[in-house]
């Protein structure tokens, strides 16, 4: 198993950042390149990962706890990807966001050498995009 985690301060109220993050319909605006998610039922999503010519599609769970400002997701069989995003207050009008990803099983496209660096970079990219989107929507 490999774990990835990034943290970023965003100059937007935590509730507003969480509201942007939990909107499955607009997640493509902040998720990393090659990852698409669409709702497929209550607390269910279909995720597509495109790497080169390969496209991997899987059903997964997605939960949003508004009180805790926490998202959790993963594949239904528990053998692939899972993760969480936590949004906390970080002073007036600011938030701290932590994005965590666990990769289980055999996923050479995400773990090891250059692939590990790319996956780690994707988390940073996602937080940068989330921050830009939250700032844009707050202004």
């Amino acid at each position: 198993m490999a774990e990835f985690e990034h943290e970023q301060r965003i100059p937007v109220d935590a509730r507003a950042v969480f509201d942007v993050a939990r909107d499955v319909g607009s997640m493509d605006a902040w998720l990393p390149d090659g990852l698409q998610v669409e709702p497929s039922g209550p607390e269910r999503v279909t995720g597509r990962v495109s790497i080169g010519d390969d496209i991997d599609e899987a059903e997964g769970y997605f939960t949003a706890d508004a009180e805790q400002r926490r998202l959790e997701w993963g594949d239904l069989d528990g053998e692939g990807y899972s993760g969480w995003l936590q949004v906390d207050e970080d002073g007036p009008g600011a938030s701290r966001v932590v994005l965590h990803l666990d990769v289980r099983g055999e996923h050479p496209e995400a773990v090891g050498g250059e692939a590990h660096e790319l996956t780690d970079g994707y988390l940073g990219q996602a937080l940068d995009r989330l921050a830009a989107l939250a700032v844009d929507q707050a202004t």
Side-chain angles (χ1 to χ4, degrees):
M1 181 171 91
E3 292 183 74
F4 303 87
E5 190 168 290
H6 277 256
E7 182 176 312
Q8 185 162 330
R9 185 174 194 274
I10 300 176
V12 176
D13 177 76
R15 175 66 50 208
V17 173
F18 180 76
D19 287 344
V20 170
R22 75 175 173 172
D23 181 3
V24 177
S26 65
M27 277 186 176
D28 290 350
W30 67 268
L31 290 174
D33 292 337
L35 178 59
Q36 298 172 321
V37 176
E38 63 184 40
S40 58
E43 295 191 347
R44 294 287 186 261
V45 293
T46 300
R48 285 180 202 81
V49 178
S50 304
I51 300 173
D53 293 335
D54 296 331
I55 298 175
D56 186 21
E57 181 174 294
E59 290 294 312
Y61 66 89
F62 175 81
T63 61
D65 183 334
E67 185 176 313
Q68 297 296 316
R69 292 185 304 270
R70 184 177 178 91
L71 305 177
E72 294 185 6
W73 63 86
D75 59 1
L76 294 177
D77 64 12
E79 295 299 319
Y81 299 89
S82 64
W84 50 266
L85 181 136
Q86 179 70 46
V87 183
D88 293 313
E89 294 289 342
D90 192 35
S95 56
R96 181 147 318 270
V97 181
V98 178
L99 178 58
H100 181 92
L101 178 67
D102 291 318
V103 181
R104 294 180 190 85
E106 294 295 320
H107 291 280
E109 70 279 4
V111 180
E114 184 180 339
H116 190 92
E117 291 176 23
L118 286 171
T119 300
D120 191 60
Y122 287 147
L123 267 68
Q125 180 186 69
L127 285 180
D128 288 345
R129 289 178 174 181
L130 178 59
L133 194 58
V135 167
D136 186 54
Q137 289 190 14
T139 56

